[in-house]
Amino acid sequence: VLLFEHNVEYLIWQRLANLETDPWKRALFEMEWRKLRACEAEACRRAALTVTVSEDDRLRLEALAGIRAVSIPTGVNTNYFTPQRDIEVPGRLVFSGSMDWHPNEDAVCYFADEIFPLVRAEVPGASFTIVGRNPGARVRDLAARPGISVTGTLDDVRPSIGEGSVYVVPLRAGSGTRIKIFEALSMAQAVVSTSVGAEGLALEPGRHFLAADTAHEFAHAVIRLLRDPTRRRLLGDAGRAL
């Protein structure tokens, strides 16, 4: 039996528990991630080999289950995801991902609530596009706010990503690797991401993307890039090369 772990599943729910402010929900998440951790460890021990998508996840699962695992890095088709700088919309910020996935929903709501207002205070013309399938009511409601649009399901995400001046990854929970960052980098987009968002990828902060883990740091990084097209191009070119 070969077990493919595209995430360390318990870690996602552990991180969501740490973010939860409602004590009842937090207690539920706490119980769930602990049960899931035990189940996941047992699944790894029962398999002949466990495969992960990053070295970070390999080390976590080996320590958790006392097993030998291997990692196979993820990637994207760089002939499909190519730069489209001629369609860039000034001041446009873009996030893409399946919007029926809780960590993605948390990320865009966090960005809309705590980061985007700080950006708009300095760059009034800034806009934020949320790209991805099956957005729930919480995400759809964001479209009523000034400067925010929600696309829903698209046959091709590349034009929406290409319109971005800055690609944002404000993830606070998750595991595995974020293919969305590789898609954006392959299109030579300047990326601002949390440490969790860029986790497991062979990226160098300051060279391939800008790292920011608080709302103020994130907003500052975005504002700085919106005001510096040369810096955006350098980041995008380095990301594309990687």
Side-chain angles (χ1 to χ4, degrees):
V1 173
L2 181 69
L3 174 63
F4 172 45
E5 284 267 333
H6 62 271
N7 296 301
V8 177
E9 296 294 336
Y10 85 84
L11 184 61
I12 297 171
W13 302 102
Q14 183 185 43
R15 286 171 168 168
L16 288 171
N18 291 337
L19 294 172
E20 187 54 64
T21 56
D22 183 311
W24 292 103
K25 289 182 180 179
R26 185 185 181 96
L28 177 62
F29 278 144
E30 285 284 343
M31 289 189 295
E32 288 301 309
W33 79 253
R34 293 176 191 279
K35 290 191 293 183
L36 183 53
R37 180 177 60 179
C39 181
E40 193 164 17
E42 179 60 19
C44 290
R45 284 191 287 265
R46 291 179 62 186
L49 182 65
T50 297
V51 178
T52 69
V53 296
S54 75
E55 282 294 291
D56 289 353
D57 284 2
R58 179 184 68 81
L59 294 172
R60 284 193 185 99
L61 291 177
E62 286 185 342
L64 172 69
I67 54 141
R68 182 179 70 88
V70 297
S71 65
I72 300 176
T74 50
V76 296
N77 184 346
T78 55
N79 293 319
Y80 183 79
F81 289 98
T82 57
Q84 297 184 16
R85 284 175 168 148
D86 58 320
I87 64 172
E88 179 184 325
V89 176
R92 175 68 53 82
L93 312 175
V94 178
F95 175 94
S96 62
S98 300
M99 296 316 305
D100 51 4
W101 178 228
H102 193 107
N104 285 341
E105 180 180 282
D106 172 78
V108 297
C109 291
Y110 163 62
F111 187 85
D113 290 341
E114 300 189 32
I115 301 172
F116 190 54
L118 300 177
V119 175
R120 292 265 289 187
E122 296 292 327
V123 186
S127 60
F128 178 40
T129 300
I130 300 166
V131 180
R133 69 186 183 206
N134 300 331
R138 187 182 176 202
V139 174
R140 293 195 304 271
D141 288 347
L142 296 177
R145 302 186 189 183
I148 299 180
S149 60
V150 179
T151 70
T153 303
L154 297 176
D155 292 332
D156 186 351
V157 300
R158 291 173 298 174
S160 293
I161 295 175
E163 289 179 352
S165 293
V166 178
Y167 187 90
V168 296
V169 189
L171 281 165
R172 302 190 294 174
S175 180
T177 55
R178 259 55 72 191
I179 297 297
K180 57 172 65 65
I181 289 188
F182 273 170
E183 292 174 349
L185 293 180
S186 188
M187 294 184 68
Q189 287 285 308
V191 172
V192 179
S193 175
T194 59
S195 299
V196 169
E199 186 179 56
L201 303 177
L203 305 179
E204 182 181 332
R207 181 182 178 192
H208 303 115
F209 78 108
L210 297 187
D213 285 318
T214 69
H216 282 274
E217 289 173 351
F218 207 110
H220 178 69
V222 169
I223 293 165
R224 190 170 40 159
L225 287 179
L226 289 178
R227 291 174 172 170
D228 190 346
T230 300
R231 181 71 168 130
R232 295 202 306 268
R233 182 172 289 273
L234 287 173
L235 280 174
D237 288 345
R240 169 73 182 173
L242 177 74

